[in-house]
């Protein structure tokens, strides 16, 4: 039998019993919608959790802190411990496989002065110049990054020039917005831990207009950054104004870092690098480790939701099998005629499998189309319900995160269509096999 004849005959047989075929197709449509929508909700939740974590920083960043929190396998806080973070550890960490960049990170308060009447403030994270971009620092909206030729640059978050400067006229303070490229500044390093020899004298650093401003980003808007070389040079000058006893202590403290941050070449290798560091006896923190329990929760939700859809598809599979068996009973004489005319048994089997597959295909295509409509409605009207659901499954989830709660990736419709066809073919296999076993002689005796 030609393929074209097989297709024509199969479509004609399906159109004979329009109502029954339509009801069977409806079952497949419901099953397809259930699978696509349920999986898309699971994907939406997973994406929402990732978006929440990504708001906090890069997933490939690992932090080793002086004061580390010890957590159990579920991420729950158990205890804390003090760790020795120094140059030796930094050099050791740099040698670990998959580590792209490692830098000490320290924090310093810097007072800024413009003329006599304008004061400013910058809380600066200090790190290697080369490492700054590796840790996801946003692009610059103004100015240039520190360089070897010009290291004395303070990088400000987008809100710092607007909110961290004040003008004093008389006895009244008023907020002042920094005029980039115009206002010339003098910087003072505030070393609150130590005592000055003379509180009227301290190290002064001319900054001029050497300021860069980051593009707007919620994580970095109120933070400032300074190169490690500039910090060390300023620090050594600033401690000259300390009391001798505190100067020795300050020099010793410079050799101890508050944190070390390292960037891994791939998010898949973060766990491996963390394991290596823990073998050295150090505790680590990373957003990737925070994301793992969220992904487990999300995957579990996807399995549950996908299971609901699978049950609906199972019901449609039973409906297809029932339809095909009823079709065999009604077409027993037709099957007998086909055998008498010399049709191959495989052709008869192919005919019934084609009809079952077409039911799956038609239902799958319509179901996929309706799934997009359902996904749109979920994203537009289901926000209160799904935000409450995501909040209940993660204490980290923030209701301000903007995300779609149902996401249908490009591969999902193809998977759903293929699954619907496979369900149809599998459901029709037993009826098709049964049709091939019908005796031609007995079939010809059947009325109808």
């Amino acid at each position: 039998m030609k393929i074209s004849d097989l297709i024509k005959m199969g479509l004609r047989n399906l159109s004979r019993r329009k109502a029954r075929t339509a009801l069977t197709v409806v079952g497949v449509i419901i099953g397809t919608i259930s699978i696509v929508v349920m999986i898309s909700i699971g994907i939406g939740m997973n994406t929402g959790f990732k978006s929440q974590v990504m708001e906090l920083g890069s997933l490939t960043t690992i932090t080793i802190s002086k004061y580390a929190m010890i957590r159990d396998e579920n991420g729950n806080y158990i205890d804390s411990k003090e760790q020795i973070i120094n140059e030796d550890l930094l050099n050791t960490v740099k040698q670990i496989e998959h580590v792209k960049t490692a830098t000490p990170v320290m924090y310093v308060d810097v007072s800024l002065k413009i003329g006599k009447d304008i004061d400013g403030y910058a809380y600066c994270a200090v790190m290697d110049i080369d490492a700054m971009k590796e840790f996801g620092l946003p692009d610059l909206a103004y100015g240039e990054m520190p360089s070897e030729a010009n290291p004395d640059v303070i990088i400000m978050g987008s809100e710092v020039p607007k909110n961290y400067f004040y003008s004093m006229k008389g006895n009244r303070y008023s907020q002042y917005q920094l005029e980039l490229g115009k206002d010339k500044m003098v910087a003072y390093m505030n070393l609150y831990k130590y005592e000055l020899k003379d509180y009227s004298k301290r190290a002064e650093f001319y900054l001029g207009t050497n300021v860069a401003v980051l593009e707007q980003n919620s994580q970095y808007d109120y933070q400032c950054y300074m190169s490690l070389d500039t910090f060390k040079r300023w620090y050594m000058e600033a401690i000259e104004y300390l009391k001798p006893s505190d100067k020795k202590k300050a020099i010793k403290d410079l050799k101890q870092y508050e944190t070390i941050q390292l960037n891994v070449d791939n998010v898949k290798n973060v766990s491996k690098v963390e394991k290596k560091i823990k073998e050295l006896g150090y505790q680590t923190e990373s957003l990737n480790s925070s994301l793992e329990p969220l992904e487990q929760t999300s995957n579990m939700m996807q399995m549950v939701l996908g299971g609901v859809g699978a049950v609906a598809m199972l019901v449609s599979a039973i409906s297809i099998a029932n339809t095909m068996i009823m079709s065999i009973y009604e077409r027993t004489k037709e099957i007998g005629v086909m055998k008498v005319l010399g049709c191959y048994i495989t052709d008869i089997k192919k005919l019934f499998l084609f009809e079952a597959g077409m039911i799956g295909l038609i239902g799958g295509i319509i179901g996929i189309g309706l799934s997009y409509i359902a996904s749109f409605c979920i994203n537009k009207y289901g926000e209160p319900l799904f935000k409450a659901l995501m909040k209940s499954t993660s204490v980290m989830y923030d209701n301000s995160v903007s995300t779609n709660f149902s996401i249908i990736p490009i591969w999902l419709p193809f998977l759903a269509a293929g699954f619907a066809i496979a369900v149809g073919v599998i459901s029709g296999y037993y009826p098709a096999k049964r049709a091939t076993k019908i005796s031609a002689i007995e079939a010809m005796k059947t009325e109808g």
Side-chain angles (χ1 to χ4, degrees):
M1 185 184 295
K2 295 180 181 179
I3 295 177
S4 58
D5 294 334
L6 184 71
I7 294 173
K8 289 177 183 178
M9 189 176 294
L11 294 175
R12 186 172 64 247
N13 290 332
L14 289 175
S15 63
R16 283 181 186 174
R17 300 288 185 269
K18 293 183 177 65
R20 187 166 63 198
T21 300
L23 289 173
T24 308
V25 168
V26 168
V28 179
I29 292 172
I30 294 172
T32 303
I33 293 173
S34 299
I35 287 179
V36 173
V37 171
M38 294 301 179
I39 292 178
S40 74
I41 290 173
I43 294 172
M45 290 181 64
N46 198 22
T47 303
F49 289 143
K50 284 186 176 180
S51 297
Q52 174 69 23
V53 174
M54 287 299 288
E55 283 286 318
L56 303 175
S58 172
L59 291 176
T60 57
T61 298
I62 298 174
T63 302
I64 310 171
S65 300
K66 182 177 180 180
Y67 299 100
M69 293 186 291
I70 302 174
R71 302 178 184 273
D72 59 19
E73 294 179 354
N74 298 319
N76 299 316
Y77 173 80
I78 300 176
D79 201 356
S80 63
K81 74 170 186 176
E82 186 173 348
Q83 306 183 123
I84 298 174
I85 312 295
N86 54 26
E87 192 73 21
D88 291 337
L89 177 62
L90 178 64
N91 292 329
T92 301
V93 165
K94 285 181 177 180
Q95 302 304 315
I96 296 175
E97 187 179 8
H98 303 300
V99 173
K100 286 175 63 180
T101 307
T103 177
V105 179
M106 294 171 281
Y107 297 91
V108 61
D109 288 312
V110 176
S111 294
L112 300 170
K113 190 82 175 176
I114 303 171
K116 295 181 179 180
D117 300 326
I118 300 171
D119 294 307
Y121 170 77
Y123 183 64
C124 295
V126 179
M127 62 173 63
D128 284 332
I129 296 173
D130 296 336
M132 288 182 177
K133 293 301 291 184
E134 292 288 345
F135 292 103
L137 208 66
D139 292 333
L140 294 180
Y142 172 83
E144 296 181 356
M145 292 288 289
S147 62
E148 291 184 6
N150 184 28
D152 296 351
V153 177
I154 289 182
I155 304 170
M156 298 181 174
S158 63
E159 295 298 320
V160 174
K162 306 173 190 174
N163 298 294
Y164 282 35
F165 289 85
Y166 296 89
S167 174
M168 185 175 183
K169 294 180 180 179
N171 294 321
R172 187 175 180 181
Y173 271 97
S174 60
Q175 198 165 39
Y176 176 82
Q177 182 164 340
L178 179 66
E179 293 187 47
L180 299 170
K182 182 179 179 181
D183 288 332
K184 296 181 179 181
M185 291 176 284
V186 175
Y188 303 88
M189 188 175 286
N190 299 316
L191 305 177
Y192 296 118
K193 291 169 60 177
Y194 316 107
E195 287 190 51
L196 293 166
K197 287 184 287 187
D198 183 349
Y199 280 89
S200 64
K201 297 178 181 179
R202 55 177 174 163
E204 182 178 285
F205 308 98
Y206 181 73
L207 190 64
T209 58
N210 272 359
V211 171
V213 180
L214 298 171
E215 289 184 352
Q216 191 168 12
N217 183 297
S218 59
Q219 182 190 351
Y220 303 94
D221 285 345
Y222 296 91
Q223 179 74 59
C224 294
Y225 292 85
M226 178 189 294
S227 75
L228 185 61
D229 290 339
T230 296
F231 168 77
K232 287 183 176 180
R233 184 158 36 82
W234 285 12
Y235 186 89
M236 294 305 294
E237 289 185 36
I239 63 175
E240 291 296 326
Y241 292 79
L242 300 178
K243 289 184 176 180
S245 58
D246 277 15
K247 181 180 176 181
K248 291 180 181 179
K249 184 180 178 183
I251 293 173
K252 184 179 178 181
D253 288 346
L254 185 61
K255 298 177 182 178
Q256 302 291 325
Y257 302 138
E258 294 175 35
T259 62
I260 288 176
Q261 280 192 351
L262 50 121
N263 195 30
V264 182
D265 57 7
N266 192 300
V267 69
K268 296 178 181 178
N269 297 322
V270 170
S271 297
K272 295 178 185 177
V273 174
E274 283 194 288
K275 184 178 179 182
K276 290 282 187 181
I277 296 171
K278 287 177 181 177
E279 288 174 359
L280 297 172
Y282 288 86
Q283 293 295 317
T284 63
E285 289 286 334
S286 72
L287 292 176
N288 188 64
S289 59
S290 300
L291 183 61
E292 284 180 2
L294 298 182
E295 285 186 326
Q296 291 174 1
T297 301
S298 177
N299 291 336
M300 183 181 69
M301 290 294 294
Q302 279 185 280
M303 290 177 64
V304 171
L305 295 171
V308 173
V311 169
M313 189 60 86
L314 176 62
V315 173
S316 68
I318 295 171
S319 177
I320 292 173
N322 179 65
T323 297
M324 298 311 298
I325 290 172
M326 291 297 296
S327 179
I328 290 170
Y329 286 137
E330 293 174 356
R331 294 157 58 188
T332 301
K333 190 169 183 178
E334 179 186 329
I335 294 169
V337 171
M338 291 173 66
K339 285 189 172 185
V340 169
L341 292 175
C343 279
Y344 291 112
I345 290 176
T346 55
D347 287 337
I348 297 172
K349 184 185 288 187
K350 287 178 183 177
L351 177 63
F352 281 90
L353 289 176
F354 172 77
E355 292 177 16
M358 280 302 298
I359 291 174
L361 176 62
I362 294 169
I365 291 173
I366 298 173
I368 290 167
L370 294 176
S371 296
Y372 277 100
I373 297 174
S375 178
F376 172 79
C377 293
I378 288 171
N379 290 327
K380 187 169 184 179
Y381 302 109
E383 181 174 337
L385 173 62
F386 285 97
K387 278 196 172 182
L389 176 62
M390 294 179 77
K391 182 66 177 178
S392 68
T393 55
S394 169
V395 294
M396 289 183 63
Y397 187 76
D398 181 0
N399 282 341
S400 65
V401 172
S402 178
T403 182
N404 287 330
F405 305 103
S406 172
I407 298 175
I408 302 178
I410 190 66
W411 55 265
L412 186 54
F414 294 101
L415 177 66
F419 187 63
I421 294 170
V423 167
V425 172
I426 293 170
S427 301
Y429 182 79
Y430 172 73
K433 189 175 181 181
R434 184 168 180 173
T436 61
K437 292 182 178 181
I438 294 175
S439 169
I441 297 173
E442 293 296 325
M444 295 300 292
K445 294 179 181 179
T446 303
E447 294 183 7

